[in-house]
Amino acid sequence: MQPQRPSTLAPSSTSYEQLGTRMKAVMLSLVAGLVLGAAGMGAAWAMNADSDSPVDGTPAADARAACEALDGFDPEKYTANGPAGEVAVNRYAAAGALSASAAAGDAKYEELAQAIRRSQDRHAQVFDFDATVKKDLDQAREICRAL
């Protein structure tokens, strides 16, 4: 039998240097990404602060946003396949959620929330935009016009 040679487990100094260089590159990339991301978010925030966005965290803003979602909602596209159908479903849901938020913050928006909720509840029962659902949607839109 021949004696076994001890294995060399210690990496060479060039391996440590390569590892150190790689770590520096990864860390610099991470820091650069964070800086660029923060700058982008800051720029977006600054540009949005000057816009007349309805999102200011008040019940009135929620009611306006609900009305905007409802304004862009087309019941005819609700069952459409693809993006048009997705937009319709999400606008209808958003109108309900935002009007409920507005009503929770201020009772004067309760009528709007109830009209949208009635239309959504009826739609969930009949799976169609029948006359009753459309009547409630029309009432919600009328309330929106008065805001």
Side-chain angles (χ1 to χ4, degrees), residues 70 92 111-112 114-123 130-143:
L70 195 59
Y92 194 37
E111 188 180 3
L112 172 64
Q114 287 177 353
I116 295 173
R117 188 175 322 123
R118 276 193 313 269
S119 75
Q120 290 175 331
D121 289 346
R122 174 69 180 175
H123 180 264
D130 66 2
T132 304
V133 175
K134 288 181 180 179
K135 179 182 141 218
D136 289 329
L137 283 173
D138 289 343
Q139 181 184 9
R141 288 184 170 122
E142 193 62 38
I143 294 167

Side-chain angles (χ1 to χ4, degrees), residues 3-142:
Q4 290 187 353
R5 294 177 52 197
S7 65
T8 56
L9 295 176
S12 67
S13 64
T14 58
S15 296
Y16 283 125
E17 290 171 7
Q18 288 174 345
L19 182 61
T21 303
R22 285 186 192 149
M23 287 297 289
K24 286 179 187 175
V26 168
M27 292 305 290
L28 286 174
S29 297
L30 179 63
V31 169
L34 288 172
V35 169
L36 288 173
M41 288 299 294
W45 178 74
M47 290 187 329
N48 200 22
D50 292 336
S51 72
D52 17 330
S53 173
V55 183
D56 63 7
T58 65
D62 287 344
R64 285 191 306 272
C67 290
E68 286 181 23
L70 195 59
D71 188 44
F73 171 64
D74 183 358
E76 299 296 321
K77 295 180 180 177
Y78 190 84
T79 57
N81 291 328
E86 289 178 36
V87 167
V89 167
N90 288 311
R91 284 187 178 273
Y92 194 37
L98 288 163
S99 65
S101 177
D106 190 335
K108 73 179 180 181
Y109 300 112
E110 185 63 34
E111 188 180 3
L112 172 64
Q114 287 177 353
I116 295 173
R117 188 175 322 123
R118 276 193 313 269
S119 75
Q120 290 175 331
D121 289 346
R122 174 69 180 175
H123 180 264
Q125 291 172 354
V126 298
F127 301 106
D128 191 23
F129 288 93
D130 66 2
T132 304
V133 175
K134 288 181 180 179
K135 179 182 141 218
D136 289 329
L137 283 173
D138 289 343
Q139 181 184 9
R141 288 184 170 122
E142 193 62 38

